[in-house]
Amino acid sequence: MSDLEILEEHRCFGGRVLICRHGSAATGTPMRFSLFLPEGEGPFPLLIWLSGLTCTEDNFTTKAGAYRKASELGLAIAAPDTSPRGEGVANDEAYDLGQGAGFYLDAREAPWAAHFKMESYITRDLQDVLSANFPLDMERRGISGHSMGGHGALTLALKHPDLFRSVSAFAPIVSPARCPWGEKAFSAYLGKDRAAWAAHDAALLMESGAARYAFDEILIDQGMADGFLDEQLKPELFEEACEKAGQRLILRRQEGYDHSYFFIQSFIEDHLEFHRVRLS
């Protein structure tokens, strides 16, 4: 896209970290993302990282400690913002709705429907701007994320298996239709008809047979000292759905780890290796 702006550029482990902004037709707003490009000419395989509630494109970029390993593996990583933002964009005073809480779906209800089109943004506009401007191999794409972003990674991979060859997640909200965060967001964005929610619930998508056989394995890490584990995350629901569907799931329950980026730092290299094997 011609309106791409590179706001910052930093040398990092031989490669480059870029902070970018561009116009999105889906959201009708400027959107920001970070991009790590390894050293060399490319084209590089691409991992898209989706962050969680309250985050921007900056959280993964500065806290995950991913770029040393990504440089070693020759893997590019794009980390978009979690929602549209700006004047005229609907918002809510709570941290779990509105700006910073896009839930990676296309809203259907007012006032959110005007701008909150994050599924279309991630699967179309972001792909287009990355493909048009950077040396990336768009046939080799994976997706990962944390918490709300883990929900996004799982659901978008299951709904768009033609776009992604690998998927993993950290502490994902695996069944938003059955937890307070998801019930609140889905009611606001999608309305009260729970039948519409199923298309954005990873456990229900897996139960329905979505993307059956598209992924050899799915990797999830879950900290067992995570304060959101029992009420919001419920990994056992996705585990049960995968077992019924015949989908191989690697669910690693990590004792003593919480919901923070210290948890992500501890296991991010395993996830990058997981994606590299499937994108090679």
Side-chain angles (χ1 to χ4, degrees):
M1 293 183 180
S2 59
D3 67 345
L4 176 72
E5 300 174 80
I6 296 178
L7 305 176
E8 300 178 31
E9 181 171 346
H10 307 279
R11 190 79 166 154
C12 185
F13 296 111
R16 296 180 292 155
V17 174
L18 309 175
I19 308 299
C20 304
R21 180 171 60 201
H22 71 113
S24 165
T27 68
T29 68
M31 293 293 296
R32 291 169 61 110
F33 64 90
S34 71
L35 177 66
F36 173 74
L37 290 171
E39 187 171 19
E41 296 183 0
F44 305 107
L46 172 67
L47 177 65
I48 293 177
W49 172 272
L50 304 181
S51 293
L53 290 168
T54 76
C55 291
T56 70
E57 77 288 343
D58 186 58
N59 294 75
F60 177 86
T61 308
T62 59
K63 294 181 178 181
Y67 296 148
R68 181 192 295 273
K69 189 65 173 181
S71 177
E72 175 188 321
L73 299 176
L75 181 65
I77 306 176
D81 200 353
T82 56
S83 78
R85 301 178 191 269
E87 186 176 353
V89 176
N91 200 13
D92 189 272
E93 293 182 357
Y95 75 95
D96 54 356
L97 187 67
Q99 296 185 35
F103 271 83
Y104 304 103
L105 52 76
D106 286 356
R108 308 191 321 187
E109 297 290 313
W112 312 105
H115 300 291
F116 279 72
K117 303 289 187 183
M118 287 301 293
E119 179 173 357
S120 291
Y121 173 69
I122 298 296
T123 60
R124 188 188 69 203
D125 294 1
L126 180 63
Q127 310 280 333
D128 289 346
V129 74
L130 290 170
S131 177
N133 291 281
F134 301 105
L136 302 170
D137 183 349
M138 302 302 285
E139 296 300 313
R140 294 189 291 159
R141 286 171 287 188
I143 191 166
S144 186
H146 172 232
S147 194
M148 178 186 73
H151 140 76
L154 293 173
T155 57
L156 296 184
L158 292 174
K159 293 181 70 178
H160 304 276
D162 55 318
L163 294 182
F164 304 108
R165 285 171 51 176
S166 57
V167 56
S168 74
F170 287 81
I173 307 170
V174 301
S175 191
R178 290 174 282 184
C179 77
W181 276 340
E183 290 174 346
K184 178 179 179 178
F186 284 7
S187 294
Y189 296 146
L190 301 174
K192 301 299 185 181
D193 181 7
R194 285 179 171 260
W197 298 7
H200 306 281
D201 182 301
L204 296 178
L205 282 167
M206 184 60 68
E207 288 178 7
S208 73
R212 185 168 292 171
Y213 313 123
F215 302 101
D216 64 333
E217 294 177 321
I218 296 172
L219 172 62
I220 292 176
D221 270 302
Q222 174 62 60
M224 298 309 289
D226 190 322
F228 302 115
L229 176 60
D230 294 331
E231 183 179 28
Q232 304 283 12
L233 306 178
K234 304 182 181 183
E236 68 278 0
L237 295 178
F238 192 66
E239 185 176 42
E240 293 165 4
C242 286
E243 184 175 355
K244 291 177 182 177
Q247 169 65 56
R248 177 165 167 74
L249 171 68
I250 305 170
L251 174 56
R252 306 195 305 184
R253 293 175 166 90
Q254 305 290 5
E255 293 295 333
Y257 286 90
D258 59 20
H259 200 70
S260 71
Y261 265 84
F262 296 111
F263 164 55
I264 295 171
Q265 287 177 27
S266 300
F267 302 104
I268 189 64
E269 292 191 1
D270 292 351
H271 284 246
L272 298 184
E273 286 276 14
F274 174 86
H275 288 279
R276 179 198 64 81
V277 168
R278 287 152 183 83
L279 301 179
S280 62

